[in-house]
Amino acid sequence: MLAALLAPSLAKWFGWQTVFGLALIPLVLTLIVYLALAKDSPDCPPPKPLSAYLAVLRDRDAWWFMFFYSVTFGGFVGLASSLTIYFNDQYSLNAVIAGYFTAACVFAGSLVRPVGGMVADRVGGIRSLSVMYVIAATFLCIVSIGLSSQWVALGVLIVAMLSLGMGNGAVFQLVPQRFRKEIGVMTGLVGMAGGVGGFYLASSLGYSKQFTGNYQAGLLIFAALAILALVGLTAVKMRWRTTWGAAHMTTAKV
């Protein structure tokens, strides 16, 4: 969010090369704080062989969670990295204003991630995640038609980012319930899948523009993946609710 908000203005004033140099300042400060304050847990478990970490991949639920997060977080990251170019190209906004528009979308999606987890605790992770996929797909389809007003497009994209951000929280409301003993490795695997999804979805917008002259196909791919994730979630929800999500197995709502 800060990059989208500040980088275009800094580049306008000082040049892009200087922006990359300035980005080193918070990175170095964070490293110093980490080295000074971070400590290993006194109850650190014994190290496991690599095979023990990879064993979780034999569980099909691990792959479902990776896919679900690749759509929610991947969609969020993919849009976040593409919207400045989108607003600049689609609505002829200069880089600074396009950056402000992008920052608004990213801020909205980032802010509601904990809200998504809270809602999932209240109504159940499966139910809330299903609703988030429907909302994301709907609003991505709306923006794909090429809205005439940049302000309307901004509002529609903010709603899409809100749903994806809340979906991120909902996924991680479910993961620790299913993988209590493997939560460390699952956090890494699910996060990796989200990053891969973000790279692919950002690329799809670029390819859409390159081969069709507009962003519609790329945005519809986003929406189609959200619907596919909804179908997958619907397919597994009964099994999840009657096995690891059953009332005698967890007090959290699945």
Side-chain angles (χ1 to χ4, degrees), residues 136-187:
T138 300
F139 280 81
L140 288 171
C141 285
I142 292 172
V143 80
S144 74
I145 65 176
L147 299 168
S148 59
S149 168
Q150 67 263 35
W151 294 104
V152 175
L154 175 63
V156 171
L157 283 165
I158 283 178
V159 175
M161 293 288 268
L162 285 170
S163 62
L164 292 170
M166 292 183 70
N168 292 334
V171 170
F172 272 101
Q173 188 263 0
L174 292 167
V175 171
Q177 297 183 67
R178 174 62 181 85
F179 293 98
R180 293 179 177 85
K181 296 181 179 180
E182 304 90 356
I183 187 60
V185 66
M186 276 305 302
T187 298

Side-chain angles (χ1 to χ4, degrees), residues 8-20:
S9 296
L10 291 173
K12 183 179 178 180
W13 296 332
F14 305 113
W16 279 110
Q17 294 85 349
T18 305
V19 171
F20 289 108

Side-chain angles (χ1 to χ4, degrees), residues 21-101:
L22 292 172
L24 289 173
I25 297 174
L27 290 175
V28 171
L29 290 175
T30 302
L31 174 62
I32 293 172
V33 172
Y34 171 80
L35 292 175
L37 300 179
K39 295 180 175 60
D40 290 326
S41 170
D43 300 320
C44 186
K48 297 181 181 179
L50 181 62
S51 59
Y53 289 99
L54 297 179
V56 72
L57 292 175
R58 292 197 291 267
D59 191 317
R60 56 181 171 171
D61 286 346
W63 291 95
W64 278 119
F65 279 119
M66 290 166 67
F67 173 57
F68 295 150
Y69 198 66
S70 72
V71 175
T72 57
F73 186 74
F76 177 82
V77 171
L79 286 173
S81 60
S82 305
L83 284 180
T84 300
I85 298 173
Y86 172 81
F87 283 120
N88 176 265
D89 184 67
Q90 188 78 7
Y91 298 103
S92 300
L93 302 180
N94 65 53
V96 174
I97 300 302
Y100 291 158
F101 274 46

Side-chain angles (χ1 to χ4, degrees), residues 156-250:
V156 171
L157 283 165
I158 283 178
V159 175
M161 293 288 268
L162 285 170
S163 62
L164 292 170
M166 292 183 70
N168 292 334
V171 170
F172 272 101
Q173 188 263 0
L174 292 167
V175 171
Q177 297 183 67
R178 174 62 181 85
F179 293 98
R180 293 179 177 85
K181 296 181 179 180
E182 304 90 356
I183 187 60
V185 66
M186 276 305 302
T187 298
L189 288 171
V190 171
M192 175 201 69
V196 171
F199 169 78
Y200 170 74
L201 291 171
S203 298
S204 72
L205 283 179
Y207 284 124
S208 175
K209 178 64 177 179
Q210 179 179 351
F211 293 116
T212 70
N214 58 59
Y215 296 98
Q216 183 176 43
L219 290 166
L220 289 176
I221 288 174
F222 275 53
L225 286 172
I227 294 299
L228 184 60
L230 175 64
V231 171
L233 187 60
T234 303
V236 300
K237 69 179 181 180
M238 185 60 67
R239 176 172 61 84
W240 284 6
R241 284 172 172 165
T242 56
T243 53
W244 57 268
H248 67 280
M249 292 293 294
T250 179

